[in-house]
Amino acid sequence: MSATTAPAHGAAGENEEVKTDPVSNWADERLGIYKGSKNLIRKVFPDHWSFLLGEIALFSFILILLSGVFLTLWFNPSMSEVEYHGSYFPLDGVSMSDAYASTLKISFDVRAGLLMRQVHHWAALIFIMAIMVHMLRIFFTGAFRKPREINWLIGFTLMVLGLLEGFAGYSLPDDLLSGTGLRIASGVILSIPIVGTYVSYFLFGGDFPGHDFIPRLFTIHVLLIPALIVGLVTAHLILVFVQKHTQWAGPGKTNDNVVGLPLLPVYTAKAGGFMFVIFGVVFLLAGLVQINPIWAYGPYTPDQISAGSQPDWYIGFLEGSLRMMPNWEWNIWGHTLSFNVLIPSLVVPGILFTALAVWPFLEQWITGDKREHHILDRPRNRPTRTALGVGGITFYGILWLGGGNDLIATHFHLSVEALTWTFRVLVFLGPVIAFWCTKRIALGLQRRDKDKVLHGRETGIIKVSLEGEFTEVHEPLSAGERYRLTAHEVQKPLELGPATDENGVERPGNRALKLRAKASKAMFSDNVETTVEEYKEIEAGHGHH
C-alpha cells in the first residue's frame, strides 16, 4: 500500500498522484524531516584529500568515546592502597593504588580489556595529531579568514582541550611513568607566583600526591572535558554547514559557489567508508603495536623515577622546554621565583598558543582585508605566512627533540650536556633559518609558476636550429591549469598617507599606522607580481616555443 500526496496545481500530469514511501510520509507529516533537511542533504562539499584531516579527528574521537565507555565499566578511580593478587605474577603481593590495580585487571583479566586500552590510547594520539595537522592545513591555506575566525578559535580550543584530556587519561592509571608526569605538573603549578601553592592544594587535596587527585581527574577526564569537546565539535560542524566550505582555486570555482559532491548520498557514503577505515587502522595498531605497558613501570611511588621516561608525543615539547631551561631562580623576601620552571612550562607555551589563537585577527589587521574568503591560498602565494608557520613548527620540533635528549645521547653515544646546549642554540636560530629558507623557496616557486604561465611547461624536447642554436620546446598550459596558477590575488603593501593633515596637525593613530605599514611591507613586499604586459603576452599565447 502506498500513500499519496495532493498533486501540484498547474503542473504537467495534474491528475497524476505522486507516490511516496509510507514510512517517510508518516514521519515527515509529524516531524517535518523533509522540509527541514531538504537543503541540508543537498549541501555540497568539495572533494580533496586535505579535507579528510578533520574527519580523521572526528572519527578517532568517536572511537575514544566508545572505548572509554568500555574502560569506565572496570576502572576504579581510587587512591586507596591495596595488595595486588591478579594474573600478572611479577607484581603479586605488591602494594599499589586501586586505580593501578584496576588498570592491571583490565589489561590481564578482562576479555578484550588490553585491546580496548590500546585502542583508546592510539585513538587519542591520532585525535590530537589530526587536530594539529588539520589546523596547520587551515593556517597555511588561509582558511581561517573571514567568516571563519570563530571556527578557528573553536578548533584552537579543541586542540588545547585535547592536550589536557590526553594528559589526564595518561595520568589516571597511577603507574610510575604517569606519576612522574603528575609530579612535573605539580611543580609547574607550584611555580606560579602567589597563587601556585593554593591551586596545588586545591587540586591535590593537600600535599602531592594526596588521595583526592585521581578521583577528581577521573571526573574531569570522563565528564567535563568530553562534554566540552562534544559541544565544541557540534558547534564547529554547525558553522561548517552554515558557512560555505572553502575550496581550492580552479575553473568554475568562485567565492560565491562550491563545486563538489552532495552530502547525500555521495559524501555520506564516502565519509562512512572512511570512518570504518580509521576504525580498522586504530584496531590494527592496537592489536599489533604495544603502547603504554604500565605493568613494566610498576606503581607510582614519590621517591622513584624510571630511566629514559618519556611522555606521550604531544607533551614532548613541554618536556624539552623544561630540560633546556637554565637553572634560574630568584629569592625575594623569603619567596622563591622558579624561572627555570615558570618560563619553559607556562610563559613559552603561553606565547606560542596565544600567537596561534590571535593570528587570524592579526593578519586581518595587517592586510586591512574585511572581505569574505572561500577560495584557499596556495602556501607559496603567501610566503611570509608560510615561512612563519614553518618557523613555528621548527621551534616546536626542536623543543620536542630536546625532551628526548637523554635517549638521543644514550643511543648515539653523545654528551647530554652538549646536546642540551645544542638545542638551546637551535631553539633560537632554527626558526630564523627555517623562516628564511621557506620564504626563499616559496618565492622561487612563485617565479617558477610565473615562468610556466608565460612560457609553458618544459617538454624535455630539444631542437637544434640550422645555425646550431639549441632550444627547448615548451608546451602551452591548458586553460584550467593557467587559471589555477593565476587565480590568486597579489596583495600589495599598505601605503601610508601624509603624517599630518592640511593644517599641519598629526593624524590620530599615526604610530599604529606606521607599525601596520611596516608589518604589511614585511609580509607582502617580496611577492612576485605579473605585469600588465606579461598578462597581455599570456592572453596572446606568445612566449611558447
Side-chain angles (χ1 to χ4, degrees):
M1 179 178 180
S2 62
T4 61
T5 59
H9 295 288
E14 191 174 48
N15 297 324
E16 183 180 349
E17 293 182 336
V18 181
K19 297 183 178 182
T20 61
D21 177 70
V23 177
S24 301
N25 188 55
W26 183 90
D28 187 55
E29 288 177 349
R30 290 156 179 80
L31 303 175
I33 295 175
Y34 175 73
K35 294 177 183 177
S37 63
K38 61 181 179 180
N39 293 328
L40 178 64
I41 62 178
R42 301 306 297 173
K43 177 77 173 179
V44 174
F45 288 88
D47 189 20
H48 192 271
W49 67 266
S50 62
F51 300 135
L52 298 178
L53 296 169
E55 294 183 18
I56 294 174
L58 175 62
F59 299 147
S60 58
F61 179 65
I62 293 173
L63 199 53
I64 291 171
L65 293 179
L66 295 176
S67 57
V69 170
F70 178 93
L71 297 175
T72 305
L73 299 176
W74 282 278
F75 181 72
N76 186 7
S78 172
M79 294 292 288
S80 300
E81 190 169 337
V82 298
E83 190 173 294
Y84 179 72
H85 295 289
S87 299
Y88 189 68
F89 295 111
L91 291 177
D92 186 57
V94 175
S95 295
M96 60 185 65
S97 67
D98 213 349
Y100 185 69
S102 64
T103 308
L104 289 176
K105 179 180 178 181
I106 293 172
S107 302
F108 295 106
D109 298 314
V110 176
R111 181 166 297 184
L114 181 58
L115 175 66
M116 297 308 292
R117 265 197 64 227
Q118 301 209 146
V119 164
H120 194 69
H121 205 133
W122 276 114
L125 297 183
I126 294 173
F127 172 67
I128 298 173
M129 181 178 290
I131 287 180
M132 288 186 173
V133 179
H134 182 55
M135 288 193 69
L136 288 176
R137 196 275 299 175
I138 293 172
F139 177 85
F140 285 119
T141 61
F144 53 78
R145 294 172 296 177
K146 184 181 178 180
R148 297 176 182 84
E149 302 96 331
I150 295 177
N151 238 356
W152 171 264
L153 292 177
I154 289 175
F156 169 79
T157 307
L158 282 171
M159 183 190 70
V160 175
L161 288 175
L163 295 175
L164 293 175
E165 179 75 341
F167 180 74
Y170 157 85
S171 303
L172 282 177
D174 197 36
D175 59 286
L176 184 58
L177 183 61
S178 65
T180 302
L182 282 178
R183 190 69 185 93
I184 295 173
S186 172
V188 170
I189 295 171
L190 289 172
S191 71
I192 303 174
I194 302 175
V195 300
T197 53
Y198 298 99
V199 174
S200 176
Y201 191 89
F202 171 76
L203 288 176
F204 291 96
D207 292 332
F208 179 87
H211 295 281
D212 300 329
F213 187 67
I214 293 297
R216 292 174 179 177
L217 194 64
F218 180 75
T219 303
I220 293 171
H221 180 69
V222 303
L223 290 179
L224 179 60
I225 298 181
L228 293 174
I229 292 177
V230 169
L232 289 174
V233 167
T234 304
H236 179 77
L237 294 177
I238 289 173
L239 286 176
V240 168
F241 273 89
V242 170
Q243 301 164 348
K244 287 194 289 289
H245 203 292
T246 55
Q247 58 186 344
W248 292 98
K253 299 178 181 179
T254 69
N255 277 315
D256 300 320
N257 69 350
V258 179
V259 179
L261 304 171
L263 177 64
L264 285 176
V266 181
Y267 191 82
T268 303
K270 293 180 68 175
F274 187 58
M275 179 180 70
F276 287 108
V277 170
I278 299 299
F279 283 12
V281 170
V282 174
F283 269 91
L284 193 65
L285 282 171
L288 298 178
V289 184
Q290 181 176 269
I291 189 170
N292 197 25
I294 61 162
W295 53 88
Y297 309 138
Y300 177 68
T301 52
D303 60 341
Q304 294 182 10
I305 184 172
S306 58
S309 58
Q310 298 287 307
D312 280 341
W313 69 269
Y314 49 86
I315 304 295
F317 78 103
L318 287 175
E319 179 84 6
S321 183
L322 285 165
R323 294 189 185 194
M324 289 184 207
M325 184 68 189
N327 188 25
W328 293 350
E329 287 185 354
W330 285 0
N331 291 300
I332 304 176
W333 299 315
H335 298 277
T336 301
L337 289 178
S338 298
F339 293 112
N340 53 343
V341 178
L342 180 65
I343 292 176
S345 61
L346 293 176
V347 176
V348 172
I351 294 173
L352 187 64
F353 285 178
T354 301
L356 189 63
V358 304
W359 177 259
F361 308 97
L362 180 61
E363 182 173 309
Q364 188 179 91
W365 176 76
I366 294 173
T367 61
D369 189 355
K370 306 290 185 178
R371 300 169 300 169
E372 289 192 3
H373 292 274
H374 304 290
I375 300 297
L376 297 174
D377 290 329
R378 299 175 76 203
R380 66 185 64 181
N381 294 329
R382 291 291 182 264
T384 303
R385 180 208 294 155
T386 303
L388 285 171
V390 174
I393 293 172
T394 304
F395 180 75
Y396 176 92
I398 293 171
L399 292 180
W400 184 78
L401 285 173
N405 60 351
D406 54 342
L407 294 179
I408 296 174
T410 56
H411 280 69
F412 295 97
H413 307 290
L414 301 173
S415 167
V416 174
E417 291 77 11
L419 275 175
T420 301
W421 274 103
T422 301
F423 287 133
R424 285 174 179 173
V425 174
L426 285 178
V427 81
F428 293 102
L429 289 183
V432 176
I433 296 172
F435 176 90
W436 185 85
C437 292
T438 302
K439 190 166 184 178
R440 294 300 100 194
I441 292 171
L443 292 173
L445 290 173
Q446 283 189 26
R447 295 186 183 94
R448 179 175 176 270
D449 286 346
K450 178 179 176 180
D451 182 72
K452 190 185 293 185
V453 169
L454 288 173
H455 305 294
R457 182 181 290 105
E458 297 176 356
T459 62
I461 301 174
I462 306 296
K463 286 187 176 181
V464 183
S465 66
L466 295 176
E467 291 79 16
E469 180 184 5
F470 291 87
T471 306
E472 184 179 12
V473 177
H474 287 68
E475 177 187 358
L477 300 179
S478 64
E481 180 69 9
R482 192 164 64 247
Y483 178 85
R484 187 179 70 86
L485 295 180
T486 58
H488 65 280
E489 178 183 358
V490 178
Q491 188 83 30
K492 296 183 179 180
L494 179 68
E495 296 290 339
L496 275 181
T500 58
D501 59 17
E502 61 276 6
N503 298 319
V505 179
E506 186 177 358
R507 297 185 184 276
N510 195 40
R511 292 183 179 178
L513 284 175
K514 287 181 179 179
L515 179 61
R516 182 180 167 193
K518 289 181 180 179
S520 178
K521 183 179 180 181
M523 182 169 284
F524 301 117
S525 62
D526 296 333
N527 278 356
V528 177
E529 185 175 1
T530 306
T531 64
V532 176
E533 292 75 14
E534 289 170 334
Y535 266 117
K536 290 180 180 178
E537 184 180 359
I538 294 171
E539 296 299 326
H542 298 159
H544 306 298
H545 50 272

